[in-house]
Amino acid sequence: MFDVLIRNGLVLDGTGRPAFRADVGLLGKRIDSVGKLEGATAARVIDAQNLVIAPGFIDIHTHADIELIAHPRIESKTMQGVTTEVFSNCGLGFAPVSSEKALSLQRRYLKGLFGDGNGLDWSWKSMREFLDRFRVGIACNMAYLVPHGALRVSAMGWQDRPATSDEIKVMDRLLKEAFESGAWGLTTGLFYRPMNSATSGECVVLSQTVARHEGFLGIHLRDYQVRLMESLDESFQISRESGVRLQVSHLQAPGKLNKGRSMGEQLMQRIETARKEGLDVLCDLYPYTAGCTMLASLLPSWVTAGEVGEAVSFLRDPHYRDRICQHLQELSYLDFSEMFLCGFRAGKNRSLEGLRMTEIARECNQSVPAAICELLASEEMQIAYVLHQCSEEDLRTILEHPTLMIGSDAVHLEGTVHPRVFGTYPRVLAEYVRRQSLFSLEEAIRKMSSMPAERLGLRDRGYVRPGLVADLVLFNPATVQDLATYENPRQYPAGIPYVLVNGTLVKDLDRHTGALPGEVLIR
C-alpha cells in the first residue's frame, strides 16, 4: 500500500541512461519502489501511460529571494516542473547582514529586481533568521547561496573601492557563519554594485573559505561584453588560487563579438582547457537569446556610488545628466532597438511596458540616453530591461555542451517579465529536444536535475531511485510546450500534468493544489 502510485510511466532517472518503462511507488516523502509493481494499491494512483517520470527540475540559478516569501506557491516555477530553487545568485541578495543600515542599502539598490517587499518582515540579520522566513511554508524546496553584495555592504557600506584586509576579515567571518547555518556556496557579481570594486584577491580569500566548506562559487563575470574572455580568465584564476569549484553564471556569448569561429565555440573551448588543467568548472544558461537585469546597472559608477536618492538627484540635474547621457551613448555593445523595458512600478509609465527603447524615446520626444535618465529618475531606479544580444548559433553551442546545466535566471518583476520566468524548462524540452534535436531527452533531464543536484552536493534528490526524496515531474514529451512569449510572458506551459515535491502533489493536472510541502535544504 503506497501513498502515491504512478503506473506505467517512462522513467528517465536523471543519470542520462536510456528511459525504461516502470511503476513508481511513494511512501511519505520518499520513493519506495521503482519497477513492475503488480497488485500494488495506493491512496492516489496516477496513470502515466503517455508520460515521462523524471526527477523534479533543480533551478541552479534563480532570484526568488523575495518572491518565494511574498508568494510561497511560486506558480511560475512549480507549474513548469521546478521542485528546488537555488538562490541568491550574482551576489545579489539580502543575508547575512551586519546591521539594519546594511540591509537597507541592499534593499534600495535592488528594488529594480526584487521590488519593495511591502508587508514583509525585514528584521533579519543572520542567514538563519532569513531562512526562517521560508520555513512557514513554501511550495518548492530552496537552497541558499551567500551573496557577496550583502557581505560587502555589511563590512564597508556602499564605498566604491577595494576592501581592506580588516574588511575582508569581516566578510569572511559572516561567510563562515552562513556556512555553519547551512549555506551551499557563495555567489558574486563583479559587474554589479558594490562588488564591482572588489579585487580578485578579495574573491580568492572568500573562495578559500567556500572551498574549505566544500561549497562552490557562482560568478557573474565582471564583463560579458567587451572584456568577456578576460573576465572568464579572471574567474579561472580565482578558482586556481583558492581551489574552489566554479560555476560560471548564465554564460552567454554576445553576438557583436563573433569573429570567424563562433564566440560560443571559443567560450566552451576555454572551459574545456581550464578543466584539462584540473579546475572544476561548470556553467549554466537559460534557453533564450535575450537576458534581463536592472537598468541602473548601465549607469556610470560615480552615479551609483551613493544611495538611491543621490543617484536620482544626479539624474535630475541637467549638468550631470549630460555626462550620464554621454556615458550611455558610448556603450557601443548596446543596441537600443533590441532593448525592452519592463518592471515599471510607477503607474504613469506602465503604458511603456514591453516597448523597444527606441520606440519609448520617440514617444517621449527625447534621445534614448535622455529617456533612460528620465525614466530611471521617475521610477527611482526601479526598472529592468530585456536585451537581445546572443545569436541562436552561439546559444545552441553553449546549451549542448556537457559542462552546461540549465538555470532560469528568473527575475520576478511586476508587470512584464522575461518569458524565462514561466517557460525555461518546457522550452528546453519542446524547442531543443523535440524540434531541434540538439541533445537527447535523457541528456536534457540530466542537465535539469542530477547535474545541478551534484553541483550543489544534494545527496537525496536529482534522481528517480528508491530511497531518494520524491521530487518528481511528469510530462508528455510529445506535447510539452512553453507558452510564455516576450509579448505575453505570464503563461503556464502545456504538457506537464503532475509535479510532486517531497511526495506531495503541488500540480495536479491543470491546477496548483495550494500545497506547501517545500523544505529549506541545509548543507
Side-chain angles (χ1 to χ4, degrees):
M1 178 68 182
F2 296 106
D3 294 315
V4 178
L5 177 59
I6 307 171
R7 285 282 192 195
N8 200 33
L10 192 65
V11 176
L12 286 171
D13 63 5
T15 63
R17 70 177 182 176
F20 57 94
R21 182 85 45 191
D23 306 324
V24 178
L26 313 183
L27 277 175
K29 64 183 283 187
R30 295 191 179 272
I31 300 169
D32 181 82
S33 305
V34 178
K36 198 170 183 63
L37 305 177
E38 292 181 350
T41 60
R44 173 67 188 271
V45 178
I46 296 174
D47 179 8
Q49 175 65 42
N50 297 315
L51 303 178
V52 163
I53 306 171
F57 305 141
I58 298 172
D59 194 340
I60 193 73
H61 189 110
T62 81
H63 294 280
D65 308 56
I66 301 304
E67 177 69 13
L68 193 53
I69 302 176
H71 303 102
R73 290 164 52 127
I74 200 160
E75 289 100 330
S76 60
K77 303 304 285 297
T78 52
M79 298 292 274
Q80 60 174 301
V82 173
T83 57
T84 300
E85 292 272 281
V86 184
F87 57 89
S88 303
N89 276 284
C90 302
L92 309 174
F94 304 97
V97 289
S98 59
S99 66
E100 183 179 333
K101 181 179 180 181
L103 181 56
S104 176
L105 287 171
Q106 283 293 85
R107 283 185 67 184
R108 294 200 69 186
Y109 178 62
L110 298 177
K111 275 184 180 180
L113 289 182
F114 297 100
D116 291 317
N118 290 329
L120 299 184
D121 177 6
W122 287 80
S123 61
W124 65 79
K125 288 184 182 178
S126 70
M127 193 189 92
R128 191 185 303 276
E129 291 171 334
F130 178 61
L131 295 184
D132 283 344
R133 301 298 187 272
F134 301 91
R135 292 191 171 101
V136 297
I138 49 179
C140 65
N141 306 306
M142 62 152 292
Y144 194 68
L145 307 173
V146 181
H148 187 191
L151 301 180
R152 225 169 186 268
V153 297
S154 294
M156 54 188 298
W158 205 248
Q159 299 186 63
D160 186 17
R161 60 169 175 79
T164 66
S165 59
D166 285 343
E167 289 164 343
I168 293 175
K169 287 178 182 177
V170 172
M171 292 184 233
D172 198 43
R173 175 179 58 79
L174 289 170
L175 179 60
K176 289 173 181 174
E177 292 172 357
F179 271 107
E180 290 167 4
S181 297
W184 297 85
L186 169 72
T187 71
T188 188
L190 300 177
F191 172 73
Y192 294 110
R193 296 278 316 193
M195 297 159 286
N196 57 358
S197 298
T199 63
S200 297
E202 175 182 324
C203 296
V204 168
V205 172
L206 297 177
S207 295
Q208 287 171 337
T209 294
V210 177
R212 283 194 293 271
H213 286 85
E214 299 182 349
F216 70 91
L217 173 68
I219 187 166
H220 178 123
L221 300 178
R222 201 177 289 274
D223 188 343
Y224 284 84
Q225 304 291 341
V226 180
R227 297 184 296 127
L228 174 57
M229 292 302 184
E230 179 183 334
S231 298
L232 187 59
D233 287 342
E234 179 186 24
S235 74
F236 295 157
Q237 189 61 33
I238 292 169
S239 176
R240 190 175 292 114
E241 293 184 20
S242 66
V244 77
R245 295 182 297 141
L246 182 66
Q247 183 77 19
V248 182
S249 298
H250 41 55
L251 185 62
Q252 279 205 356
K256 287 184 178 297
L257 292 181
N258 290 343
K259 294 178 181 178
R261 189 167 52 130
S262 81
M263 181 56 69
E265 291 177 353
Q266 295 176 56
L267 282 172
M268 303 325 292
Q269 182 60 55
R270 289 284 183 108
I271 297 282
E272 290 174 5
T273 300
R275 288 177 61 83
K276 288 176 182 176
E277 292 175 2
L279 300 184
D280 186 344
V281 184
L282 297 174
C283 49
D284 56 71
L285 182 58
Y286 41 85
Y288 299 87
T289 59
C292 177
T293 191
M294 49 189 164
L295 190 62
S297 64
L298 299 178
L299 296 174
S301 60
W302 57 266
V303 176
T304 55
E307 296 191 29
V308 170
E310 296 175 56
V312 171
S313 296
F314 282 132
L315 289 164
R316 287 176 172 156
D317 185 300
H319 170 69
Y320 291 113
R321 179 178 291 201
D322 287 344
R323 289 178 59 189
I324 296 168
C325 287
Q326 182 63 34
H327 166 84
L328 293 171
Q329 198 66 55
E330 291 172 358
L331 296 177
S332 58
Y333 63 85
L334 284 180
D335 183 348
F336 292 118
S337 67
E338 294 294 334
M339 176 187 285
F340 303 79
L341 297 193
C342 54
F344 289 104
R345 302 181 189 278
K348 63 182 180 180
N349 295 322
R350 291 282 170 82
S351 63
L352 304 178
E353 285 270 4
L355 296 182
R356 297 174 187 269
M357 195 60 239
T358 47
E359 296 172 328
I360 293 172
R362 282 196 298 271
E363 189 165 318
C364 298
N365 196 28
Q366 293 176 308
S367 67
V368 168
I372 290 175
C373 290
E374 180 67 33
L375 288 169
L376 280 169
S378 174
E379 294 279 335
E380 294 189 335
M381 311 282 275
Q382 296 184 68
I383 317 177
Y385 70 93
V386 172
L387 179 66
H388 291 270
Q389 59 181 1
C390 183
S391 72
E392 179 67 23
E393 176 192 3
D394 283 332
L395 178 63
R396 285 170 51 89
T397 298
I398 297 171
L399 284 176
E400 71 175 334
H401 199 272
T403 62
L404 187 283
M405 64 191 78
I406 304 301
S408 72
D409 196 14
V411 179
H412 299 270
L413 305 168
E414 293 183 12
T416 302
V417 297
H418 192 296
R420 66 192 182 191
V421 177
F422 286 76
T424 290
Y425 292 87
R427 179 169 174 79
V428 170
L429 299 171
E431 181 63 29
Y432 294 101
V433 174
R434 189 171 67 235
R435 274 194 286 277
Q436 296 195 31
S437 300
L438 185 63
F439 36 68
S440 68
L441 188 57
E442 290 85 352
E443 177 67 1
I445 297 303
R446 186 185 76 87
K447 286 175 176 288
M448 300 191 292
S449 58
S450 63
M451 194 175 178
E454 291 181 2
R455 193 36 147 192
L456 274 169
L458 288 172
R459 297 179 180 178
D460 59 354
R461 300 167 200 268
Y463 297 91
V464 181
R465 184 181 296 163
L468 300 195
V469 175
D471 290 344
L472 301 171
V473 56
L474 280 64
F475 65 90
N476 187 324
T479 63
V480 63
Q481 180 66 56
D482 59 306
L483 300 178
T485 65
Y486 291 102
E487 295 74 24
N488 189 8
R490 293 182 176 274
Q491 299 190 81
Y492 300 130
I496 305 177
Y498 303 103
V499 179
L500 297 96
V501 176
N502 296 308
T504 297
L505 279 163
V506 295
K507 183 179 185 183
D508 192 349
L509 298 177
D510 61 350
R511 68 182 184 91
H512 194 292
T513 65
L516 302 175
E519 298 178 357
V520 177
L521 305 181
I522 298 299
R523 185 170 181 81

